[in-house]
Amino acid sequence: MRDVVDAPPERPGDRFARAAQELAGLRATAGEDALPIGIVVPVYNDWAAFRHLAQSIGTVCETRNLTADLIVVDDGSWQCGDETLRAIADAAPRLRLRRATLVANLGHQRAIAVGLTVASARAASYRAVIVMDGDGEDRPEHIPYLLDTSAAHPDAIICVRRGRRFEGARFALGYAVFKAFFVIGTGKTIDFGHYCVIPPRALARLVHSPALWSHFAATLLRSGLPLHRVRLDRGTRYAGRSSMNLTSLIRHGLNAIAVFEDVCLVRLLIALGLFSGGLVAALVAVVAIRFGTDMAVPGWATSAAGLLLVALLQAILLALASAASHLNRRSLSEVVPAREAERFLVPSADPAQRASPPSSGVPPDEAAGQGMAWQDAAWERTTWKAAS
């Protein structure tokens, strides 16, 4: 018969200590929830759509008692967005606009890399960092759900898989072809876009990855960080037309595959090895039939053997050239966003707005990020009310 041991009665001091621990935990959770979120949005001339997006984000923040730093990465726009940004700053009390203006049009992926570098300098002050496009296809109404999902999976990057889409048949076909080539070249599936929630502690790892300069989604796959996918329907553009065309889509796909260049090279070498093995087997069969049997060899066998030999030599040369090119690039210096992003930013005209790098205790690359001078325009709100 099993003995039953009663727990000793709880003393008043223990009860008070337990209550204090629970209260401290509640305060820590409340403090984390009160932190603002960082939202990185690259914009290239599409200010009309961005204005609608910012208004929708402001409405979501008001409804869900959130505050947000909206990091607007102006990707070298030739259209002036000052009036749009001023109107947003005046109308959205729960949004603080932070403008990072690039000296030239670097492209969507590099604009995201610069925006994440800016966010990384303030990572400790954010509850989470969200990346989204500025045209409205990434729906702001999904932000609360994504934040709740991130809270349930605190170590993972929450990536949005697209449900219903509104692109034309030609774009859908091109995107399907890109995904198929990506699977063949890398052995991985890329089934999500830019819309995601990143834990602040993961930012340093991403912005120190050279691959981030080429393709954001492929970098997430390559990073080794845990990814949690959710399926959400895509929205429609608020205004204007998409600049994505067939040429842009092909370039986008090649950049994604380039992130896995070494993996693609190994798979190519394996394929060339198997192909070369088949060619050698075919040559041996032709020679064996010619000299080892009494069977008549057709006249085209000699020509076929010559063609097989030429194909074998070409396969060997292609493998050697690919390997040499890859090894040569490995010796070259790569662009690391955490180190290089500041060079592409228009500096603030007011030296007082420049952040000073910490004096000690911070790695040089991180100190450079914290000392980054991005443009805080005169219209930017300097104070804002925290969520109560």
Side-chain angles (χ1 to χ4, degrees):
M1 183 175 178
R2 198 172 85 179
D3 294 333
V4 179
V5 180
D6 294 333
E10 190 175 31
R11 293 178 299 178
D14 295 337
R15 196 160 48 240
F16 285 130
R18 181 168 54 84
Q21 281 184 339
E22 293 176 354
L23 183 58
L26 289 174
R27 284 176 178 169
T29 303
E32 182 179 350
D33 290 342
L35 290 176
I37 56 175
I39 304 177
V40 175
V41 181
V43 178
Y44 178 64
N45 291 326
D46 207 357
W47 296 111
F50 174 73
R51 182 170 184 169
H52 287 288
L53 176 73
Q55 290 171 346
S56 299
I57 293 175
T59 301
V60 170
C61 289
E62 288 284 349
T63 304
R64 294 299 297 264
N65 200 26
L66 299 171
T67 51
D69 270 10
L70 189 54
I71 302 171
V72 187
V73 185
D74 182 353
D75 188 17
S77 300
W78 51 265
Q79 293 180 0
C80 182
D82 288 354
E83 175 134 4
T84 298
L85 296 172
R86 188 181 302 112
I88 294 169
D90 291 338
R94 288 184 174 271
L95 291 183
R96 178 174 182 174
L97 293 173
R98 297 191 177 278
R99 185 178 187 179
T101 303
L102 303 182
V103 295
N105 177 231
L106 301 182
H108 203 69
Q109 304 301 311
R110 294 178 179 180
I112 291 175
V114 173
L116 289 177
T117 305
V118 172
S120 178
R122 298 171 175 264
S125 63
Y126 291 139
R127 170 185 172 186
V129 174
I130 299 175
V131 178
M132 60 192 308
D133 292 336
D135 53 13
E137 294 185 357
D138 295 336
R139 296 166 61 183
E141 311 91 82
H142 293 151
I143 289 177
Y145 170 73
L146 293 175
L147 291 175
D148 292 342
T149 307
S150 179
H153 302 83
D155 296 326
I157 297 176
I158 309 302
C159 304
V160 175
R161 297 177 57 191
R162 296 306 181 191
R164 187 175 54 170
R165 307 177 69 101
F166 298 94
E167 294 92 351
R170 185 171 60 180
F171 181 88
L173 177 61
Y175 194 66
V177 171
F178 152 64
K179 291 198 295 184
F181 273 103
F182 190 83
V183 171
I184 293 172
T186 68
K188 296 182 178 295
T189 302
I190 186 165
D191 55 357
F192 55 88
H194 303 140
Y195 200 10
C196 67
V197 180
I198 304 173
R201 57 182 171 273
L203 284 174
R205 182 167 183 167
L206 292 178
V207 300
H208 284 82
S209 171
L212 188 62
W213 204 243
S214 298
H215 197 279
F216 172 63
T219 301
L220 296 186
L221 279 177
R222 189 66 195 263
S223 68
L225 294 167
L227 306 179
H228 180 79
R229 295 166 172 82
V230 296
R231 187 179 180 88
L232 296 172
D233 289 342
R234 194 176 181 88
T236 55
R237 286 185 64 88
Y238 290 124
R241 298 180 60 183
S242 173
S243 59
M244 180 68 77
N245 52 35
L246 181 60
T247 303
S248 301
L249 182 61
I250 293 174
R251 186 173 68 244
H252 183 72
L254 291 176
N255 286 337
I257 294 174
V259 171
F260 291 88
E261 178 190 9
D262 53 344
V263 177
C264 293
L265 176 62
V266 171
R267 294 172 71 89
L268 175 63
L269 293 177
I270 292 174
L272 289 176
L274 294 175
F275 179 68
S276 300
L279 293 179
V280 170
L283 284 171
V284 170
V286 170
V287 173
I289 292 174
R290 174 67 179 82
F291 296 103
T293 69
D294 295 331
M295 297 175 58
V297 177
W300 53 262
T302 303
S303 299
L307 290 175
L308 290 174
L309 184 60
V310 170
L312 176 61
L313 292 176
Q314 288 181 335
I316 294 173
L317 289 175
L318 177 60
L320 292 176
S322 300
S325 176
H326 174 71
L327 293 175
N328 180 62
R329 279 194 295 275
R330 296 286 291 180
S331 64
L332 301 177
S333 177
E334 295 182 294
V335 176
V336 178
R339 187 177 62 230
E340 307 291 342
E342 186 178 3
R343 298 192 309 151
F344 298 97
L345 286 170
V346 175
S348 171
D350 183 5
Q353 292 178 356
R354 296 174 182 264
S356 299
S359 57
S360 62
V362 180
D365 287 345
E366 187 175 343
Q370 293 181 0
M372 183 177 299
W374 57 86
Q375 185 180 21
D376 285 334
W379 42 260
E380 184 191 49
R381 294 180 179 273
T382 57
T383 59
W384 49 301
K385 194 174 184 181
S388 56

